[in-house]
Amino acid sequence: MEYIIVILILGCIVISYLYHQQNMKLLCSVSSPDRGTRAERRLVVRMLRQGVHPKAIFHDLYLRKRNGEFSQIDVVVATPQGLIAIEVKDYSGWLFGNEKQRYWTQLLNYGKEKYRFYNPIMQNDGHIRALREQSEQLAHLPIFNVVLFAGRCTLKNVTYWADNTFVGYTSNISYVLRKVSEFRPAQYTDKREVAHLLRQAVENGSNPGITASHIASVERKSIGKPQPTIRWRPRLFRINWRRLMKS
């Protein structure tokens, strides 16, 4: 019996290893294991497994804006209906917010800890504006604003109204792709130009000078902005009433 258990464990290890290797091979057809976050890379692999062509996915893009700074986009997917700009967030806890609020709320530890974070729809809208600055064609091309959450989070009361916007979980990507496919085809004037601009944005992310400049710019802009609202009680002073009543 012990030998059977050992064989099963070894079998699971081998299968897990082969699955991981297959995922790495898929990822490398689009990006590299050291680009972006783990949640972003998993999303890329998920799309590839669902049949999205590798050449249609662009990961970790850095777009030069008119003011000389750069805007970083997690993932862009080129579809016949236009571009899908995806912002990937890795959060835990309960999340609240709507399309119009400048800041959303994150609750942790059953509401004992409360944080604010910038509206990711608005954040991604800024990325889309940077995309539109790249060429006359992109200025008029349909671009969908998609925000997907990874991690152990729950969207408790998140609302939005725009038809070209979607907020959900990374596991919803198949639904997003299906809904986008229901829109009418976009009027591309030069698909090669679009692909070239997106590839160039990906290549920018391989330039240490560009990435360092972008990080410095983000840090400068955060100075003087409202800090997250925190409501927290140290564990030292917390009383576990359930345990106390059972004792």
Side-chain angles (χ1 to χ4, degrees):
M1 186 64 181
E2 292 180 357
Y3 291 109
I4 295 176
I5 294 174
V6 171
I7 291 173
L8 288 174
I9 292 174
L10 290 175
C12 290
I13 293 173
V14 170
I15 292 173
S16 178
Y17 173 77
L18 293 175
Y19 186 78
H20 174 74
Q21 290 298 105
Q22 188 180 41
N23 283 346
M24 287 298 99
K25 184 176 180 180
L26 285 171
L27 176 64
C28 289
S29 68
V30 170
S31 188
S32 61
D34 60 347
R35 290 290 293 265
T37 66
R38 185 180 183 185
E40 294 168 21
R41 295 191 294 269
R42 284 184 169 183
L43 178 63
V44 169
V45 171
R46 186 186 290 268
M47 287 190 289
L48 290 168
R49 286 192 172 277
Q50 292 178 1
V52 180
H53 198 283
K55 291 185 178 181
I57 304 174
F58 303 85
H59 175 223
D60 194 28
L61 305 88
Y62 284 76
L63 299 159
R64 185 184 294 275
K65 299 188 291 185
R66 289 173 182 167
N67 63 4
E69 296 180 347
F70 285 86
S71 180
Q72 189 270 336
I73 308 181
D74 294 336
V75 181
V76 172
V77 184
T79 75
Q81 293 74 29
L83 303 181
I84 306 175
I86 305 177
E87 175 71 17
V88 182
K89 296 293 187 185
D90 195 343
Y91 277 76
S92 58
W94 291 353
L95 307 180
F96 302 81
N98 66 51
E99 185 177 334
K100 302 298 182 183
Q101 290 175 319
R102 188 170 181 81
Y103 292 97
W104 288 12
T105 302
Q106 176 192 31
L107 294 183
L108 297 173
N109 195 21
Y110 301 100
K112 296 183 179 68
E113 300 175 39
K114 182 179 178 182
Y115 301 89
R116 288 195 309 169
F117 61 100
Y118 185 60
N119 182 336
I121 297 176
M122 291 183 177
Q123 180 184 2
N124 207 30
D125 190 55
H127 299 160
I128 291 173
R129 288 197 299 271
L131 260 176
R132 296 199 180 283
E133 291 179 1
Q134 302 306 305
S135 74
E136 184 67 22
Q137 181 180 190
L138 287 176
H140 299 93
L141 197 68
I143 302 178
F144 300 88
N145 187 337
V146 175
V147 178
L148 299 178
F149 287 88
R152 301 180 63 180
C153 67
T154 302
L155 304 178
K156 296 295 287 186
N157 187 16
V158 172
T159 54
Y160 54 96
W161 305 276
D163 290 337
N164 67 336
T165 300
F166 179 84
V167 180
Y169 305 99
T170 51
S171 58
N172 298 139
I173 186 60
S174 59
Y175 172 81
V176 173
L177 295 172
R178 186 169 67 252
K179 293 300 292 183
V180 169
S181 69
E182 295 174 1
F183 283 75
R184 64 182 182 182
Q187 298 299 314
Y188 286 92
T189 56
D190 188 349
K191 292 184 179 180
R192 290 184 179 181
E193 179 202 46
V194 173
H196 171 73
L197 291 171
L198 295 177
R199 282 196 301 268
Q200 181 59 55
V202 172
E203 291 175 8
N204 287 341
S206 300
N207 185 323
I210 291 177
T211 56
S213 173
H214 175 68
I215 292 172
S217 175
V218 171
E219 291 176 347
R220 283 196 307 271
K221 291 178 180 179
S222 66
I223 297 175
K225 286 191 175 181
Q227 295 301 306
T229 301
I230 304 175
R231 185 174 65 232
W232 176 68
R233 289 180 291 173
R235 292 183 181 275
L236 179 64
F237 300 105
R238 294 178 187 170
I239 300 175
N240 191 327
W241 293 105
R242 292 182 180 177
R243 180 176 298 179
L244 187 63
M245 292 182 71
K246 287 181 179 179
S247 60

